[in-house]
Amino acid sequence: MKLDILAFGAHPDDVELGCAATIAKEISQGKRVGIVDLTRGELGTRGSAELRDEEAAIAGEILGVSIRENLGFADGFFKNDKEHQLEIIKMIRKYQPEIVLCNAIDDRHIDHPKGSQLVSDACFLSGLLKIVTELDGVQQEKWRPKQVYHYIQWKNIEPDFVVDVTGFMDKKISSVMAYSSQFFDPKSNEPETPITSKNFTDSIEYRAKDLGRLIGVDFAEGFTSERYVAVENLSKLI
């Protein structure tokens, strides 16, 4: 199955928090989008790997993604090395996306920038003919995405561009809250974490509102780019 966009996240819920509204908008316009989670989030303070699996499946259904896979890398301990790069290359060659979305280039959680660079490196290597990979016993063709964009997570990184996601925030928030084990729940007796506060849950909306304010729309999501972002002409800019 060829996809238009393939979004990678170090943990289940990274993609939803970082760019779910953008994904929902792209899907509404007929694009085929998939998600690949690198780990099962098994080191998370709350919940379990099995519960995160279930929540990820629900979140994917809410967004309407075409596929969702989990590579089962070790949460907290995966590396940007040949072994892990090859597994991601297999996903890129399997789905042949035009655009790859991946973790923030810098963030509070060490897996986020690590996963960001890992996926970025794999996107380049995936285009090299002499790197041979097989999937289900069949040799894969080389493939390099046209663009690699990084969504923004905990830290307020200055975006290179923003996407107007007005009309898609409800779907984003619903997909995030599908991870009920991870976020604000006044009835929960589990330990508190930086993402379990009501302030963090509220920040999903107020951050998008602030980015939207800067471009004159209700809501927006920000991204950084590894290359110049080109437009056909000046009238394409809003």
Side-chain angles (χ1 to χ4, degrees), residues 18 31 45 51 55-57 81 91 95 100 109-111 113 120 122-123 125 133 135 168 193 201 206 209 227 229:
K31 297 295 178 63
T45 301
L51 181 54
E55 293 170 339
D81 59 12
M91 293 293 101
Y95 294 113
V100 162
H109 196 300
I110 61 170
D111 279 356
S120 178
C123 284
L125 294 170
T133 56
L135 190 67
F168 295 91
T193 76
T201 303
Y206 67 63
K209 277 188 174 181
R227 299 167 54 186
V229 178

Side-chain angles (χ1 to χ4, degrees), residues 198-218:
K198 186 175 186 302
N199 187 22
F200 179 80
T201 303
D202 291 345
S203 75
I204 299 168
E205 182 169 322
Y206 67 63
R207 169 183 266 176
K209 277 188 174 181
D210 191 50
L211 286 173
R213 173 186 64 84
L214 295 173
I215 62 167
V217 302
D218 290 338

